[in-house]
Amino acid sequence: MLKISEMANLAGTTRRTLIYYDEQGIFKPIKKTKNGYRYYDYSQLYDLMLILGLRNLNISLEEIKAIKEDSSNSITKTLVEAKEKVNNEIHKLKQIRKVINQKIDQNTFSKNQTLYEPVIFQCDEVNFWCSNKAASCTEEEIAELFSSFYKNLNSLTIMNSGLSGFLTDLSLNNPPGYVDAGFRIIKEADFITDTIIPKINKVAGNYACILVENNEEGIIKGLKLLKTFCETHDLKTNNNLWQINFGDSIIEKGTTKSSWLEYKIL
């Protein structure tokens, strides 16, 4: 027979784990002396390896007990559930990787950008989730709208600030009107969710853009410069202002430190 340390070494686990499994009734020694020494048989190794394998799949001890009691049915059901958990974890990790890559890209891209310098960008088509329309820019209303909107998504989406922001109903001919313009919170629809959330499409094409500081003064200043830029180059735009967050984290009123103001060129 094998001592507890020998069985643990053979299975690639620890003595403490085997003691715990014994106490929980998951995996018991074939013999236990009055002095508390545990002894195992070589044939028990395969049962222990199965248990350790199931634990590596994050299957609970309670579920393992059920499998051991009814292996023919329980193990299939449990493994199907474990597969679903793994798929969810893979999806989550892909989202995390996307967030990290976007942060790296943003930091690299930002070094080559200048505030308040109008440019024309060729933008790809993007589908956004969008909130209900708000008509006030008070901190309270934005916070309530922001909270309600992101509760319908998941916790990772708040980290991914790259394609999020606001869609505002505002003509480029009226920069001061930004203060009172109606707006929606938007976030790139980059994963599938069971929650029903309204979507809006940002079409591909050339956009007149400017990077600004994300405060009322900075945005209005940027809108005025963008207006002059479009007039100088005889560019016509629609009345949808895409205010896309640009930076590492949300700091105030659902925005990052700076943002891109973008108008589709007609």
Side-chain angles (χ1 to χ4, degrees):
M1 288 187 291
L2 296 165
K3 296 178 181 178
I4 186 170
S5 57
E6 293 172 330
M7 176 58 89
N9 184 62
L10 194 62
T13 187
T14 66
R15 179 177 177 275
R16 179 180 294 181
T17 297
L18 292 186
I19 292 173
Y20 181 69
Y21 284 175
D22 182 14
E23 293 172 345
Q24 297 300 312
I26 295 295
F27 182 74
K28 289 187 168 296
I30 198 169
K31 179 181 178 182
K32 189 173 181 180
T33 68
K34 294 179 179 180
N35 293 330
Y37 292 106
R38 294 171 173 85
Y39 292 93
Y40 300 84
D41 190 87
Y42 279 102
S43 63
Q44 291 182 276
L45 173 65
Y46 310 103
D47 186 28
L48 176 57
M49 294 294 284
L50 174 62
I51 293 170
L52 293 172
L54 293 172
R55 289 297 292 138
N56 281 333
L57 294 175
N58 291 322
I59 295 174
S60 70
L61 294 182
E62 290 75 15
E63 290 173 313
I64 293 174
K65 283 182 181 179
I67 289 172
K68 289 171 68 67
E69 291 170 1
D70 183 14
S71 59
S72 60
N73 296 320
S74 296
I75 191 166
T76 300
K77 178 177 180 294
T78 302
L79 289 177
V80 168
E81 292 173 351
K83 178 182 176 181
E84 185 176 351
K85 290 178 182 178
V86 169
N87 287 337
N88 290 336
E89 190 66 22
I90 290 172
H91 176 69
K92 181 179 178 180
L93 289 172
K94 285 181 177 179
Q95 284 189 269
I96 292 173
R97 182 178 63 184
K98 182 174 182 178
V99 169
I100 292 172
N101 286 338
Q102 287 184 338
K103 297 299 182 186
I104 293 172
D105 292 342
Q106 282 182 354
N107 289 335
T108 303
F109 183 64
S110 63
K111 295 177 182 178
N112 302 318
Q113 300 306 308
T114 304
L115 286 169
Y116 304 110
E117 183 178 295
V119 292
I120 296 176
F121 282 146
Q122 174 68 40
C123 297
D124 296 329
E125 179 182 13
V126 182
N127 285 314
F128 288 93
W129 289 304
C130 64
S131 71
N132 296 326
K133 183 181 287 188
S136 170
C137 286
T138 65
E139 187 169 353
E140 180 181 0
E141 180 169 357
I142 293 177
E144 290 178 353
L145 191 65
F146 188 86
S147 173
S148 174
F149 177 65
Y150 275 94
K151 279 179 181 177
N152 288 321
L153 302 175
N154 67 36
S155 59
L156 281 173
T157 57
I158 191 66
M159 293 175 59
N160 181 5
S161 60
L163 284 177
S164 65
F166 303 90
L167 175 60
T168 303
D169 299 331
L170 181 69
S171 168
L172 187 53
N173 294 322
N174 182 29
Y178 175 80
V179 178
D180 300 314
F183 67 91
R184 299 175 187 271
I185 295 173
I186 58 173
K187 171 70 188 73
E188 182 187 11
D190 56 356
F191 65 87
I192 298 173
T193 175
D194 293 333
T195 307
I196 298 176
I197 306 174
K199 289 184 180 179
I200 195 164
N201 177 259
K202 180 186 178 187
V203 299
N206 289 324
Y207 283 74
C209 310
I210 190 167
L211 184 64
V212 303
E213 295 170 288
N214 240 338
N215 53 56
E216 186 177 304
E217 181 181 355
I219 291 170
I220 293 177
K221 174 183 175 181
L223 289 171
K224 289 179 178 179
L225 290 171
L226 199 59
K227 177 177 180 291
T228 300
F229 174 80
C230 288
E231 289 174 346
T232 301
H233 293 82
D234 195 27
L235 302 174
K236 304 297 182 183
T237 63
N238 61 21
N239 296 328
N240 292 326
L241 167 59
W242 299 90
Q243 184 180 340
I244 306 299
N245 283 325
F246 184 76
D248 289 332
S249 58
I250 303 296
I251 56 175
E252 183 181 3
K253 290 188 175 181
T255 66
T256 47
K257 186 176 181 180
S258 57
S259 70
W260 283 101
L261 306 182
E262 305 176 358
Y263 277 94
K264 174 75 168 59
I265 298 173
L266 302 177

